């Protein structure tokens, strides 16, 4: 079993007469785009970043703005793009595709893959949706039960808190942190916000390496912490995310749209505000908002990617107070139940796992 971006190693497994399976830790929608990538490459002769106002028609995926394809694929002449294309060309030779999702969450993309629409010129390997594979609150209990944020959440009303966290790598400039703070304060909503130090290179919003604790008084607007102390809590660097999302007080999640975070939110029944930063997260946002309908779209500047305080305020209010926010909340609660059903005895993911294991056993017996 190899990661999807190691699919070139399928040829090595073949030489050793070993079946090789691809594991996809991302969505089935992204897998559909991955398998269809060679077709897109032949169809378009410009870089995706240069296809202004162009929507890509990927089987099983909502119309995808070319600019929202995964960041490493935006430049056609980049070595990363070429490696990705090479991996996608090797993928059809896999013995199977193992994906961290469940069928009810992504019915369009899973059907498109199984029907062979994503590989029009090659047979499609069997698809095994085994998700959601996520960390549970029980697994984190020993490390997280005493965290200050959980004690603070215990004091807040049910479904009243907006949780802002941007993965293990997501960071912002000091100016963007200030805008978030102003927007949160003006929204008058309760919030739990994880803040990291800005990095010197803000081109990629990535924190590569260990960070020191941020100086919140320096980074955030003067007096912000005092003015919001009755309604908000700002935490440095890290919180036990699965435990936070599962807490009854949390009613919304401003997220970078990393797939693990998406699955944790869905399993906890928490709706999202989608604010992507890097990798395939802009692609995920389109799927979350347009296909799954479990998220609202955080609007950023098309040029700089900057999000104004007014936008933060409006989206947070919309999620927590509006009829549209209620619809998103109701929708994600349906998927919460579907996620539980998928992993129960007889559920779709359990059945898929049994089929996968049976195929291995049959292969051994035949040898």
């Amino acid at each position: 079993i190899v990661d999807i971006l190691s699919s070139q190693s399928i040829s090595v497994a073949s030489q050793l007469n070993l079946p090789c399976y691809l594991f996809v830790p991302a969505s089935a929608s992204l897998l559909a785009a991955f398998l269809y990538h060679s077709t897109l490459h032949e169809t378009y002769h410009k870089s995706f970043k240069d296809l202004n106002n162009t929507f890509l028609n990927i089987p099983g995926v909502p119309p995808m703005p070319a600019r929202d394809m995964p960041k490493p694929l935006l430049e056609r002449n980049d070595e990363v793009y070429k490696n990705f294309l090479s991996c996608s060309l090797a993928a059809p030779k896999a013995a199977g595709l193992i994906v961290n999702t469940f069928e009810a969450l992504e019915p369009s993309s899973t059907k498109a893959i199984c029907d062979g629409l994503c590989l029009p010129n090659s047979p499609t390997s069997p698809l095994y949706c085994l998700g959601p594979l996520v960390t549970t609150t029980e697994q984190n209990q020993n490390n997280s039960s005493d965290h200050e944020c959980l004690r603070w959440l215990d004091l807040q009303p049910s479904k009243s808190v907006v949780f802002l966290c941007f993965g293990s790598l997501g960071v912002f400039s000091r100016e963007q942190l200030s805008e978030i703070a102003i927007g949160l304060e003006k929204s008058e909503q309760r919030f739990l916000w994880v803040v990291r130090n800005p990095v010197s290179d803000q081109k990629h919003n990535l924190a590569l390496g260990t960070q020191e604790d941020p100086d919140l008084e320096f980074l955030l607007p003067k007096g912000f912490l005092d003015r919001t102390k009755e309604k908000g809590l700002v935490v440095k660097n890290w919180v036990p995310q699965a435990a936070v999302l599962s807490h009854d007080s949390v009613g919304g999640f401003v997220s970078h749209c990393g797939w693990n975070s998406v699955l944790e939110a869905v399993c906890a029944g928490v709706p999202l505000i989608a604010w992507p930063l890097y990798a395939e997260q802009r692609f995920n946002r389109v799927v979350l908002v347009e296909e799954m309908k479990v998220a609202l779209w955080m609007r950023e500047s098309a040029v700089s990617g900057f999000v104004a305080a007014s936008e933060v305020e409006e989206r947070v209010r919309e999620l927590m107070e509006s009829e549209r926010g209620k619809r998103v909340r109701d929708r994600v609660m349906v998927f919460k139940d579907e996620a539980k059903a998928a992993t129960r005895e007889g559920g779709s993911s359990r059945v898929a796992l049994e089929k996968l294991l049976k195929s291995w056993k049959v292969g051994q017996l035949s040898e």
Side-chain angles (χ1 to χ4, degrees), residues 5 12 63 85 90 95 100 104 120 122 129-130 136 145 149 155 209 220 222 228 240-241 273 280 289 300-301 319 349:
L5 294 182
V12 178
L85 178 61
N100 186 12
S122 303
C129 297
L130 305 187
T136 65
S145 58
C149 72
L155 304 176
L220 304 180
K222 185 176 181 179
T228 60
Q241 181 169 287
I273 298 175
E280 87 287 7
V289 175
E300 70 271 19
S301 165
L319 184 65
S349 294

Side-chain angles (χ1 to χ4, degrees), residues 101-155:
T101 191
F102 55 100
E103 290 180 7
L105 184 63
E106 300 185 85
S108 298
S109 55
T110 54
K111 185 177 188 304
I113 293 169
C114 292
D115 288 350
L117 301 180
C118 301
L119 287 171
N121 300 315
S122 303
T124 301
S125 306
L127 178 68
Y128 303 96
C129 297
L130 305 187
L133 306 174
V134 295
T135 302
T136 65
T137 53
E138 290 82 6
Q139 290 169 330
N140 271 346
Q141 192 168 15
N142 293 335
N143 297 326
S144 65
S145 58
D146 291 333
H147 198 282
E148 62 168 325
C149 72
L150 298 179
R151 296 193 296 272
W152 181 82
L153 286 171
D154 288 340
L155 304 176

